[in-house]
Amino acid sequence: MSTRVRVRFAPSPTGGLHLGGVRTVLYNYLFAKTHGGDFLVRIEDTDQNRYVPGAEEYIFNTLKWCGLEPDESVQHGGAYGPYRQSERKESYRQYAEQLVKDGYAYYAFDTPEELEKMRQEFRTEQNPSPQYDHSIRIKMRNSLTLSTNDTKRLLDEGVKHVIRIKIPENETVSFTDMIRGEVSFDTSTVDDKVLLKADGMPTYHLAVVVDDYLMKISHAFRGEEWLPSAPVHILLWKYLFRLDNMPQWAHFPLILGPNGKLSKRDGAKYGFPVFAMNWTDPKTGELTEGFKEKGFLPDAFINLLALLGWNDGTEQEIFTKEELVEKFSMERVHSAGAKFDYEKAKWFNHEWIKKLEVSSLRFEVGELLKKSGFIVSNEDYLNKVIQLVKDRCTLLTDFVQQSSFFFKAPEVLDIDAVKPKWNEAKQLFFAELIRNYELSASWDAHTLENNFKEIAAVNDLKPGELMLPFRIMLVGGKFGPGVFDIAELLGKDETIRRIQKALTIF
RNA sequence: GGCCCGUUCGUCUAAGGGCUAGGACACCACCCUUUCACGGUGGUGAUACGGGUUCGAAUCCCGUACGGGCUACCA
């Protein structure tokens, strides 16, 4: 018996990957790494109607950005391929047929119209959505109600049909969920799910069981929305591969938005990203913003996701990926859903920006500045700028606003902040400051500040009244690091140039 | 409607029978700061409700309420 830990993330390529999806990846990844096992990605593209070009590539790009690279996948290779279900199509039919042969499944010839008619017919106040279950199947067109000959004839004629699981009556199916403990279902309330569709493709239910078996998955983790279909999967394991080969299950709590399961719409409505990275719908051209482009660091993104439903029992909140791998345990994953709080998410990112070295930030920030039209030629200068402003940036994109004046003189000055209190004496002070600074032998923040205050004292002016105007001259607005630090970094020529220019405006 | 899961400050959570229910985000106040932030100190604020079990319950059991998920030839 193989005891190696093997887990999988099995997305269907239908669009952007959202928070919950990435967290599922994360917990899978952490569990695999914590136990020295394998993490693989299997593309569940059995629904050809929902196929979206580019979505698969997007998923892998996202995993790469997050630093959660699979050990096996379509892109990474591996010994258990193919890793795309559409390419495994042929293998599913035989399992479905085997189930029919063993009496655990049956052919159903009902057309979509007939199914719709059935739902209309049996719909009542008490039962608004009738299911194709043990009580209904005897009234439908399938190999259970048709004679053997009729069934054979229809099959031979190539009539479109599906294969449905025949759920037993009055049985209790139970299993132990690693997060929730024992969960059980009365099979009489479970419907006869379609296993193999009319186009020959399996549904999720068949595919997940067959593939988890074939790929030797030891632990199957997924979102809580799958809990209701667990009995179908358990039964399939029992009928097909024996229960003692079945992986251990865990159903993660949902990540909730302001109203229920977090959706793409929530993001648009409440102004925060839901997808990991930008996603453009190829059909509509609609762009949905991602955490990456919003200015989140991958380390912070992983960190905040990990803590949404898990903690290590201490008061630590900032974790590196390595620490998470070291400390993660499925037993400490919460069972209740967690409402996503964007403010806290930003706090995580801020903490990470403060924590990270300038060298880790430089590339991203440099790119961002260049993209915004600033000329960044001097690496050393950029490093100093980042060091000076990083503590006041919550998002990576904040660096642009917080440091723009280091690369380009402000075009508009916040004159209103200065003008009402501006007077002749201040004008003269800055004229003298220019002369002083021009002659100054050293150009460091400390000297600059001392000289500034000396001149103010000599002229009987309060430094406080002068520093704001000085800031406006250099920065353009009421923000930024210490004004003398700015002047030091800007250099003598540029500082004086900005004072001179401002004096003509004030 | 049925089935399943869940319920500790506004939000994320700690406390897995025993101290004034702890921390973080957010919010408020003060300090620091001659800008804005960072930072520091303090504050507001929770065990859904009702029954049990127990010397003792946020914790175990039952019920109710509320929330969420599922109820497709989608995943």
Side-chain angles (χ1 to χ4, degrees):
Chain A
M1 187 181 125
S2 160
T3 54
R4 185 175 178 81
V5 167
R6 286 175 59 78
V7 301
R8 83 296 193 268
F9 173 59
S12 57
T14 53
L17 234 203
H18 69 96
L19 282 177
V22 181
R23 195 194 53 178
T24 300
V25 174
L26 215 213
Y27 286 2
N28 268 287
Y29 178 93
L30 295 176
F31 186 84
K33 298 304 156 194
T34 302
H35 293 91
D38 307 319
F39 166 56
L40 57 109
V41 170
R42 181 174 71 219
I43 301 294
E44 309 230 330
D45 57 346
T46 54
D47 185 357
Q48 290 155 340
N49 301 320
R50 294 212 310 163
Y51 173 77
V52 176
E56 184 181 306
E57 194 190 352
Y58 171 94
I59 288 166
F60 286 106
N61 287 342
T62 297
L63 299 192
K64 188 167 216 154
W65 176 66
C66 293
L68 303 173
E69 295 272 0
D71 300 302
E72 300 170 25
S73 80
V74 171
Q75 294 199 356
H76 300 77
Y80 296 86
Y83 291 89
R84 204 180 273 120
Q85 286 183 332
S86 59
E87 293 170 17
R88 307 172 70 86
K89 182 177 175 182
E90 297 317 315
S91 66
Y92 301 111
R93 173 136 220 140
Q94 64 178 95
Y95 290 102
E97 298 281 3
Q98 185 62 46
L99 287 166
V100 175
K101 208 174 296 170
D102 295 340
Y104 295 126
Y106 57 90
Y107 300 104
F109 301 95
D110 318 281
T111 64
E113 293 73 29
E114 286 168 334
L115 288 173
E116 184 48 37
K117 204 179 131 214
M118 176 276 279
R119 289 190 188 104
Q120 295 282 356
E121 190 178 335
F122 296 102
R123 179 173 322 177
T124 61
E125 192 96 328
Q126 295 303 303
N127 184 9
S129 48
Q131 307 202 84
Y132 201 118
D133 61 13
H134 61 90
S135 66
I136 297 291
R137 68 175 166 237
I138 54 175
K139 297 168 182 162
M140 304 300 287
R141 234 152 49 83
N142 53 53
S143 57
L144 263 21
T145 57
L146 266 23
S147 69
T148 313
N149 282 342
D150 285 348
T151 300
K152 188 173 184 308
R153 183 175 49 78
L154 288 172
L155 252 22
D156 289 344
E157 284 171 4
V159 172
K160 288 270 185 196
H161 64 277
V162 302
I163 291 178
R164 284 179 182 272
I165 183 171
K166 186 181 169 192
I167 300 282
E169 268 180 83
N170 299 316
E171 269 183 33
T172 299
V173 171
S174 61
F175 72 101
T176 303
D177 185 285
M178 292 172 76
I179 295 169
R180 283 151 224 284
E182 174 130 340
V183 181
S184 59
F185 300 83
D186 175 356
T187 55
S188 299
T189 65
V190 179
D191 63 324
D192 291 352
K193 290 274 181 248
V194 169
L195 262 21
L196 200 73
K197 298 185 266 191
D199 64 3
M201 277 290 193
T203 58
Y204 172 81
H205 307 293
L206 211 217
V208 73
V209 170
V210 169
D211 287 343
D212 281 352
Y213 171 74
L214 261 18
M215 293 176 165
K216 291 197 161 55
I217 298 303
S218 63
H219 301 261
F221 306 141
R222 73 234 290 205
E224 192 186 345
E225 69 269 28
W226 288 108
L227 206 41
S229 50
V232 177
H233 306 149
I234 310 267
L235 251 18
L236 286 174
W237 269 98
K238 186 174 157 189
Y239 299 152
L240 248 19
F241 309 119
R242 298 164 49 104
L243 252 19
D244 44 351
N245 289 316
M246 187 170 73
Q248 276 191 263
W249 299 97
H251 292 86
F252 301 142
L254 262 16
I255 296 180
L256 278 5
N259 331 286
K261 193 159 82 161
L262 187 66
S263 71
K264 198 179 79 174
R265 277 206 109 35
D266 289 327
K269 193 168 170 190
Y270 299 98
F272 56 78
V274 168
F275 287 164
M277 304 197 308
N278 274 7
W279 166 254
T280 305
D281 187 311
K283 249 194 192 124
T284 63
E286 183 199 2
L287 173 78
T288 308
E289 194 179 30
F291 279 85
K292 175 174 184 265
E293 290 79 4
K294 190 78 182 177
F296 278 78
L297 258 2
D299 290 312
F301 187 52
I302 294 301
N303 191 166
L304 73 92
L305 245 23
L307 273 282
L308 212 50
W310 172 88
N311 71 83
D312 75 340
T314 72
E315 278 166 10
Q316 183 176 351
E317 293 197 272
I318 302 301
F319 293 89
T320 61
K321 196 173 83 176
E322 290 67 32
E323 286 174 313
L324 288 172
V325 167
E326 187 190 323
K327 296 177 176 172
F328 184 79
S329 74
M330 202 55 73
E331 290 69 35
R332 289 202 66 89
V333 173
H334 256 250
S335 47
K339 201 172 283 181
F340 176 66
D341 179 3
Y342 187 49
E343 292 305 318
K344 182 101 186 204
K346 286 192 289 191
W347 174 80
F348 274 106
N349 204 59
H350 192 184
E351 291 300 308
W352 269 93
I353 287 179
K354 286 191 289 179
K355 173 189 162 89
L356 250 30
E357 299 291 328
V358 170
S359 57
S360 309
L361 260 13
R362 187 176 48 211
F363 179 77
E364 287 294 332
V365 174
E367 291 299 303
L368 228 36
L369 287 168
K370 283 175 203 159
K371 210 183 293 172
S372 301
F374 295 106
I375 296 153
V376 185
S377 47
N378 186 330
E379 283 290 302
D380 185 50
Y381 185 72
L382 175 61
N383 287 348
K384 284 177 177 160
V385 169
I386 293 174
Q387 185 59 50
L388 218 44
V389 305
K390 78 196 211 32
D391 284 3
R392 52 223 310 143
C393 294
T394 297
L395 299 170
L396 244 23
T397 46
D398 292 341
F399 275 98
V400 175
Q401 203 263 353
Q402 285 293 331
S403 64
S404 63
F405 56 87
F406 281 112
F407 300 96
K408 197 177 177 196
E411 280 170 7
V412 285
L413 306 185
D414 184 359
I415 290 172
D416 292 343
V418 178
K419 201 87 178 195
K421 291 185 179 172
W422 192 251
N423 57 32
E424 189 68 23
K426 288 181 182 175
Q427 185 89 20
L428 290 171
F429 167 84
F430 279 102
E432 191 178 342
L433 186 70
I434 291 173
R435 283 194 295 278
N436 177 289
Y437 278 4
E438 267 175 343
L439 297 171
S440 179
S442 51
W443 191 261
D444 61 277
H446 193 68
T447 307
L448 262 24
E449 181 169 2
N450 284 343
N451 292 2
F452 188 98
K453 287 181 173 169
E454 255 171 51
I455 298 168
V458 170
N459 290 286
D460 205 21
L461 288 164
K462 284 185 191 146
E465 303 261 303
L466 299 162
M467 281 170 72
L468 183 63
F470 189 31
R471 168 174 298 279
I472 302 292
M473 290 170 178
L474 301 184
V475 175
K478 290 192 278 188
F479 64 94
V483 70
F484 298 104
D485 290 324
I486 296 172
E488 176 186 323
L489 199 45
L490 242 25
K492 181 186 281 192
D493 292 350
E494 183 61 19
T495 300
I496 290 172
R497 202 162 22 236
R498 291 190 188 183
I499 299 172
Q500 282 171 332
K501 191 184 173 201
L503 287 179
T504 66
I505 299 170
F506 287 169

